[in-house]
Amino acid sequence: MAAQIAAGVEKLKVNGSGSAGETSGNGNTATDAEHNDSDDDREDEGTAPGATSGATKKKKKRKPRKKKSAAPKEQSTPPRVPVAQLFPAGVFPEGEVVEYRGDNLYRTTDEEKRHLDRMNNDFLEEYRHGAEIHRQVRQHAQKSIKPGQSLTEIAEDIENGVRALTGHQGLEEGDSILGGMGFPTGLSINHCAAHYTPNAGNKWILQQEDVLKVDIGVHLNGRIVDSAFTLAFDPVYDNLLAAVKDATNTGVREAGIDVRMSDIGAAIQETMESYEVEIGGKVFPVKAIRNLNGHSITQYNIHGSKSVPIVKGGDQTKMEEGEIFAIETFGSTGKGYVRDDMETSHYAKRADAPNVSLRLNSAKSLLNTITKNFGTIPFCRRYLDRLGQDKYLLGLNNLVSSGVVEAYPPLCDIKGSYTAQFEHTILLRPTVKEVVSRGDDF
């Protein structure tokens, strides 16, 4: 999901066909309909008393066999076929696998580490399943998103795809906790870098000159795949997008077991800030947004306890075996610093929520709905609308002020600036690093 603020980071974040013929009772094989009919039409021996020997036998009508529908072989457009149907064996595509370097190179062939890796097979398949859903949905979005569409239309198309492909529509109580959206679809435009999704009634229309960040989260059993990309329809922004994509790939390359966060941040910043972009005849250096970060991910918790900076700094924390990280970078033509701005849409129940006495009945009722339908998975106001909730804003604000629910306002640089984002999810397996969200697109 989008990113964390560096300050206060701990708060957030075929069925088989039958044989050619069937063997009849006398051992002969019926190979066509005429032969089958002759067998099927055979009546019990003898005739009813008084019947004439030359009486014509009444032919029985043969019921046509129902053909079993074959499992889909490919994805529909828009994507609506559950990915599990496309991979009936339950084995999903592996992400990009990268061997560790230096002192950790031994892990690739070490028998103990290989044994630990095999023990994680169910966990890996859940992540790969989610990643394949993410790839199929986002690649459709990359082709279908066009200027003139409303942000609501774009968000709902993405979210309908994720829900269909996970097989979890999220309308029954608890279904969204089993699988579906890992967080609300981020559709942040121009100077807004993260955490924007339309609320009900939003009229924002995507324009030709806009730079759109698309941040999508998919989860199955709380295993959240977090990956984002940026779209621009004017080639003037190409260098901005190239800078951020290159920086994210640098972060993915540098990340690994025993690597210090400060070293990753320094490498990301050096890569990103080697670019500049010319807009309207003026040259802008691409700046890393210094108070946005990548982050660790734990089950049902999009923002774990560790942050991955995108600028150089003094954080000596190391990445460890078995951890999952969202490596995301943000570049800007503005100040390279974001602040809260615009209407809030993203919320999440805090994993460490205090046990407080809620005075408002609306807050109590809403908390019960949130707990049963989302748990600690982030949600937005449109998701509450979808569940039939209404007149909930007073109760929602009460939950926020009580510290039970966290609100995540949009994060924006100065107006008139442009920002871009790219992101991948990596698994630090015992033997190798797997960039589970990697695809042919980025």
Side-chain angles (χ1 to χ4, degrees), residues 2 151 185-197 204 211-215 230 342 346 410-411 419 421:
L151 295 193
T185 301
L187 297 173
S188 305
I189 289 180
N190 299 338
H191 72 291
C192 183
H195 292 176
Y196 188 92
T197 200
W204 199 331
V211 177
L212 174 67
K213 279 72 62 184
V214 183
D215 197 355
T230 300
M342 300 194 291
H346 285 53
L411 305 171
T419 60
Q421 172 196 19

Side-chain angles (χ1 to χ4, degrees), residues 77 148 333:
T77 303
T333 62

Side-chain angles (χ1 to χ4, degrees), residues 288-348:
I289 299 180
R290 59 186 180 273
N291 61 330
L292 291 180
N293 305 273
H295 48 90
S296 59
I297 302 174
T298 57
Q299 191 173 19
Y300 288 108
N301 189 356
I302 184 60
H303 286 114
S305 60
K306 292 184 178 181
S307 296
V308 185
I310 64 173
V311 294
K312 60 185 178 182
D315 188 357
Q316 299 299 302
T317 305
K318 291 182 178 181
M319 291 182 167
E320 299 177 67
E321 177 184 311
E323 290 183 322
I324 299 114
F325 287 93
I327 305 296
E328 62 181 327
T329 72
F330 295 82
S332 176
T333 62
K335 291 184 176 296
Y337 189 89
V338 293
R339 293 178 174 84
D340 296 350
D341 195 8
M342 300 194 291
E343 184 180 49
T344 301
S345 53
H346 285 53
Y347 300 85

Side-chain angles (χ1 to χ4, degrees), residues 20-333:
E22 295 182 5
T23 303
S24 62
N26 60 6
N28 295 325
T29 302
T31 56
D32 54 39
E34 182 181 354
H35 197 155
N36 283 337
D37 285 345
S38 66
D39 286 345
D40 292 339
D41 296 340
R42 191 173 294 151
E43 297 185 5
D44 292 341
E45 290 182 6
T47 57
T52 61
S53 60
T56 304
K57 293 183 179 178
K58 207 170 186 181
K59 216 173 187 181
K60 292 181 181 177
K61 287 187 179 178
R62 215 175 147 227
K63 292 182 180 178
R65 291 180 183 171
K66 290 183 180 179
K67 293 184 179 179
K68 294 180 182 177
S69 56
K73 294 283 196 306
E74 58 184 30
Q75 189 53 263
S76 61
T77 303
R80 294 295 184 267
V81 179
V83 164
Q85 291 185 18
L86 303 178
F87 298 88
V91 178
F92 301 93
E94 195 174 45
E96 179 190 18
V97 172
V98 183
E99 292 184 355
Y100 293 118
R101 299 179 291 184
D103 293 341
N104 282 306
L105 182 59
Y106 79 95
R107 291 173 170 273
T108 305
T109 56
D110 183 84
E111 281 304 319
E112 182 181 349
K113 298 300 181 185
R114 288 163 66 90
H115 174 68
L116 286 172
D117 210 26
R118 288 191 294 270
M119 289 179 64
N120 288 331
N121 188 64
D122 290 346
F123 153 83
L124 289 174
E125 289 303 338
E126 285 176 339
Y127 253 108
R128 290 168 183 164
H129 187 178
E132 181 60 23
I133 292 167
H134 198 291
R135 278 187 291 272
Q136 293 190 18
V137 170
R138 77 176 187 237
Q139 288 173 9
H140 168 72
Q142 289 162 8
K143 296 173 184 175
S144 65
I145 295 174
K146 296 289 186 294
Q149 287 183 293
S150 71
L151 295 193
T152 300
E153 179 185 356
I154 295 169
E156 289 181 347
D157 186 43
I158 290 170
E159 291 163 357
N160 288 339
V162 169
R163 293 181 182 120
L165 269 59
T166 57
H168 295 283
Q169 289 296 325
L171 293 173
E172 296 181 7
E173 189 175 280
D175 193 39
S176 290
I177 294 178
L178 298 176
M181 297 302 302
F183 50 81
T185 301
L187 297 173
S188 305
I189 289 180
N190 299 338
H191 72 291
C192 183
H195 292 176
Y196 188 92
T197 200
N199 287 324
N202 187 290
K203 304 297 183 185
W204 199 331
I205 303 297
L206 182 66
Q207 303 297 318
Q208 178 73 26
E209 63 272 16
D210 286 339
V211 177
L212 174 67
K213 279 72 62 184
V214 183
D215 197 355
I216 305 172
V218 176
H219 93 91
L220 288 165
N221 191 30
R223 312 296 186 185
I224 306 170
V225 177
D226 185 0
S227 185
F229 59 93
T230 300
L231 292 176
F233 310 98
D234 188 332
V236 72
Y237 305 112
D238 285 355
N239 256 23
L240 172 62
L241 272 60
V244 181
K245 184 186 290 187
D246 194 2
T248 295
N249 285 330
T250 296
V252 169
R253 183 179 65 248
E254 295 299 318
I257 294 172
D258 297 332
V259 177
R260 297 184 190 279
M261 303 297 183
S262 57
D263 294 337
I264 299 172
I268 288 172
Q269 184 176 19
E270 181 179 7
T271 297
M272 188 180 301
E273 297 187 353
S274 67
Y275 287 79
E276 55 187 25
V277 56
E278 183 177 344
I279 302 174
K282 185 176 180 180
V283 176
F284 297 89
V286 179
K287 298 177 183 177
I289 299 180
R290 59 186 180 273
N291 61 330
L292 291 180
N293 305 273
H295 48 90
S296 59
I297 302 174
T298 57
Q299 191 173 19
Y300 288 108
N301 189 356
I302 184 60
H303 286 114
S305 60
K306 292 184 178 181
S307 296
V308 185
I310 64 173
V311 294
K312 60 185 178 182
D315 188 357
Q316 299 299 302
T317 305
K318 291 182 178 181
M319 291 182 167
E320 299 177 67
E321 177 184 311
E323 290 183 322
I324 299 114
F325 287 93
I327 305 296
E328 62 181 327
T329 72
F330 295 82
S332 176
T333 62

